[in-house]
Structures are given as C-alpha cells and as structure tokens.
Amino acid sequence: MAAIVRYNDLGLVNTKEMFEKAMAGRYAVPAYNFNNMEQLQAILVGCVQSGSPVILQVSGSARKYIHPVFLVHMAKGGVEMVRDMGSSIPVALHLDHGDTFELAKSCIDMGFSSVMLDGSHHPKEENMRLTRQVVEYAHPRDVTVEGELGVLAGIEDKVASEVSHYTRPEEVEDFVAKTGVDSLAISIGTSHGAYKFKLKPGESVPPLRFDILEEIERRLPGFPIVLHGASSVMPKYVEEINRFGGSMEDAAGIPEEQLRRAARSAVCKINIDSDGRLAMTATIRKIFAQKPSEFDPRKYLGPARDELIEMIRYKNEHVLGSAGKA
Ligand code: G3H
Ligand code: 13P
Ligand code: ZN
C-alpha cells in the first residue's frame, strides 16, 4: 500500500474557498477531466493563462488508467509547473463519480483534496449512508465532498443510465443536512458524453430545467450546486472530426447560453470532459489526414494540447466566467 499523502503537501487546496468566491462572484469554477500528461498540462496552462481557479478531475477508471501512485506525482508535478510559471491559481484534485467508500478513502489517503461519492444509482437511504460515511472520513482531513441526487442519462464512469431522473427539490434539504456534503450535483437535463439528446429532424435541444434549479436554490440558499454532463459538444470539433474520417453524426450538447445562465446561479462547479476529448481528437484526426507520414507523437499530441489550451481559455472566459477570478 502506498504511503499516506496529504493534499497540502502537493500544493493543492480543497474546494471550500473556491466555491465561496464563485457563489459571491456569480461564476462557476471549471472542473476538467484528465487521463494523461497532455490533458493535465493543457488544463493547467489554460487556467494559468486565463487566471482561473481550477478543479482537476479524475474518474476511478482514469485513475486506474494512469496508476494511482503515478497520479499523485502527476498532480504534484502539475502544481509545481504552475508555480514555476509564476502563477498562484488555486488547484484542487477531485475524484469524479467515486462509487465506493473504499475508492474515496484511497483517494483521500493519496492526496486528493476533494472527492465525489456518487450514490445516485442507489436507493436514497443507501446513497445517504454511503455519502455520510465518506464525509465522516473526509472532513477531519479537511477534504471536501460532493454528493449527487437525481440521475443523469449517459455514462457515469461504470454506471450507464438510459433515462434521466430529475432531482426532486423536496429531497435536497434532508440529503444535505443528513450527509454533511459540501456541494451537491443535481440533474436538470444535462447528461454525460457526446450524444446528450436524441433529436428528430428539425428539433432543437430542450432547455435545462431552470425551474428545478431555482427551487433547489430557494431551499438551500448559498449552497454550492454542481452541474455534470455540461459539455457543449462544440460543433466546430464535431465537424472537424467528421471531415477528417470520424463518424459522430448525432452528437449534441448543452448550448453555451444555458451554461452561462447556470454559472451565474448557485452552480459553482461545471464539469467538462467530452469537449476536451473532442478538441484533442479533432486536432489529431486533422494531422493524421493532412500529414500521413507523421509518426512523432509530439507532432500530433503537441498541437492537440495547444488546441485544448485554447478551448479551456475560451470556456473560462466566455462560458463559466472564471477567467481573472483566481
Ligand atoms: O462523468 C464521467 C466522466 O466523463 C469520466 O469518464 O469514466 O470515461 O473517465 P470516464
Ligand atoms: P461531459 O460528458 O458533458 O463532458 O460531462 C463530464 C462530467 O460530468 C464529468 O463528471
Ligand atoms: Zn459527471
């Protein structure tokens, strides 16, 4: 078993102050997922360049892909790179969609500053029990915890759901009071992945359920809300992927205007994974198509990293409102 590492020793912070500032300033902190070095570098450089706080997000399967021990060193190296660039932006390392107490505990013991226990697929009582158990381990170690009520359609790490169940506002006060979570992920019409809506010809994307969000805000004044499945599935990347040999015909995401509206509300954390994947894939496909003899990974992963930096700067500045807030 690996040595116990505290997140402060890695130069990380938990999400408490980030969310307090985001709530007061009416913006959302970006939570970008990563699985490899280029993604991690791009997220950090994009947030340094835009002066944004950042939550680095790792799913259980991404942690396994990287290796849990290696991940600790990546996070430490990432923060040191940020400081070497002369930046003091706050950086949190967060477990995305943790599904067991053991996984959350292991992450806390290995330097994560924040964890999610996603018990949304369990009956409510079991969700509350598991979430409470994680809070009891996390809080004495000053680690923040995100819970979830309601089910998003799409894939949440190992758990896939065909249909979404909106969060029931009448359940949120009890859940927050009994579990002690620091933030709550809710379901108001977003979903995971690049195929968020099955649209018939001529149909447009249905609006998010802001009425549910407003009722939750009324019941939990000042409490940080989290939006998962918040990629826009940026059309320019989908078009590029399709132009250069890919096939993502029905991909569709959340319109930016709706995310801007959410970011101005009690939504303090917006999760983005798919858009980052699309940005890199589009760039790599284009290079492979235009330079078929290229075989140096730096020549396609480097430009993919550059494109991801641009995407992150754009999101922070024009969608989440977090640019300049670090
Ligand atoms: O919400 C799920 C995230 O996009 C992570 O996905 O399990 O494929 O790493 P993953
Ligand atoms: P997207 O698939 O919309 O990027 O959602 C990511 C997410 O919610 C990670 O937890
Ligand atoms: Zn998610």
Side-chain angles (χ1 to χ4, degrees):
M1 148 114 191
I4 289 192
V5 182
R6 290 282 166 247
Y7 70 81
N8 320 60
D9 298 329
L10 304 179
L12 300 163
V13 296
N14 69 23
T15 58
K16 205 173 253 318
E17 198 179 316
M18 282 185 181
F19 290 167
E20 279 164 15
K21 287 187 177 167
M23 185 71 79
R26 304 188 69 196
Y27 61 91
V29 179
Y32 295 113
N33 290 69
F34 75 95
N35 312 287
N36 67 17
M37 182 189 77
E38 282 78 8
Q39 286 174 309
L40 173 61
Q41 290 175 326
I43 295 164
L44 290 171
V45 172
C47 288
V48 166
Q49 288 182 359
S50 52
S52 171
V54 62
I55 299 171
L56 300 170
Q57 209 161 240
V58 186
S59 68
S61 59
R63 183 172 177 253
K64 211 166 170 182
Y65 176 82
I66 293 169
H67 191 283
V69 174
F70 193 68
L71 174 59
V72 178
H73 295 273
M74 280 180 85
K76 186 165 185 279
V79 176
E80 284 178 12
M81 178 189 75
V82 167
R83 305 301 172 233
D84 186 60
M85 292 169 77
S87 171
S88 57
I89 59 163
V91 181
L93 178 66
H94 175 80
L95 169 66
D96 192 26
H97 295 286
D99 56 349
T100 62
F101 170 76
E102 290 70 25
L103 174 60
K105 177 182 180 300
S106 170
C107 288
I108 293 167
D109 288 345
M110 292 179 72
F112 281 61
S113 61
S114 182
V115 293
M116 175 187 195
L117 191 288
D118 178 1
S120 61
H121 299 85
H122 292 295
K124 198 177 76 184
E125 290 306 315
E126 177 62 2
N127 183 3
M128 289 212 277
R129 189 194 64 76
L130 267 173
T131 308
R132 177 77 215 162
Q133 193 185 9
V134 170
V135 168
E136 281 173 0
Y137 190 76
H139 280 183
R141 292 158 181 83
D142 218 17
V143 169
T144 38
V145 180
E146 175 183 323
E148 179 167 331
L149 261 182
V151 179
L152 274 71
I155 299 161
E156 291 188 317
D157 204 347
K158 283 171 247 163
V159 194
S161 179
E162 270 292 301
V163 283
S164 70
H165 304 283
Y166 296 125
T167 306
R168 293 158 57 97
E170 60 274 23
E171 291 181 354
V172 297
E173 292 142 295
D174 190 48
F175 184 86
V176 167
K178 289 195 176 140
T179 59
V181 285
D182 303 280
S183 60
L184 181 67
I186 60 167
S187 173
I188 57 167
T190 61
S191 69
H192 289 101
Y195 302 90
K196 300 193 190 298
F197 306 100
K198 288 195 178 73
L199 299 173
K200 299 198 183 88
E203 268 183 2
S204 51
V205 168
L208 297 180
R209 291 290 303 272
F210 283 99
D211 57 320
I212 297 178
L213 174 60
E214 280 160 19
E215 179 59 14
I216 292 169
E217 283 185 86
R218 201 184 61 74
R219 288 170 181 264
L220 295 174
F223 191 79
I225 300 300
V226 178
L227 214 55
H228 282 249
S231 280
S232 297
V233 188
M234 295 168 82
K236 67 171 180 175
Y237 295 134
V238 176
E239 281 157 22
E240 203 161 72
I241 286 171
N242 289 337
R243 185 147 36 100
F244 292 110
S247 173
M248 299 192 69
E249 301 313 329
D250 297 320
I254 313 296
E256 286 178 0
E257 193 39 48
Q258 302 212 16
L259 296 169
R260 282 187 200 104
R261 182 172 164 191
R264 288 191 296 268
S265 75
V267 170
C268 290
K269 173 175 179 269
I270 288 189
N271 287 8
I272 297 164
D273 187 354
S274 297
D275 277 338
R277 297 180 183 193
L278 292 171
M280 293 193 94
T281 302
T283 309
I284 291 168
R285 276 200 176 278
K286 186 173 161 188
I287 291 169
F288 282 176
Q290 291 179 342
K291 298 180 186 165
S293 61
E294 190 53 74
F295 73 106
D296 178 347
R298 292 171 297 184
K299 299 285 168 46
Y300 49 89
L301 294 178
R305 180 175 62 184
D306 291 342
E307 186 58 44
L308 187 52
I309 292 171
E310 286 310 310
M311 187 206 84
I312 281 163
R313 288 171 52 137
Y314 174 82
K315 295 252 184 205
N316 293 349
E317 191 165 335
H318 299 289
V319 184
L320 286 88
S322 65
K325 306 289 187 185

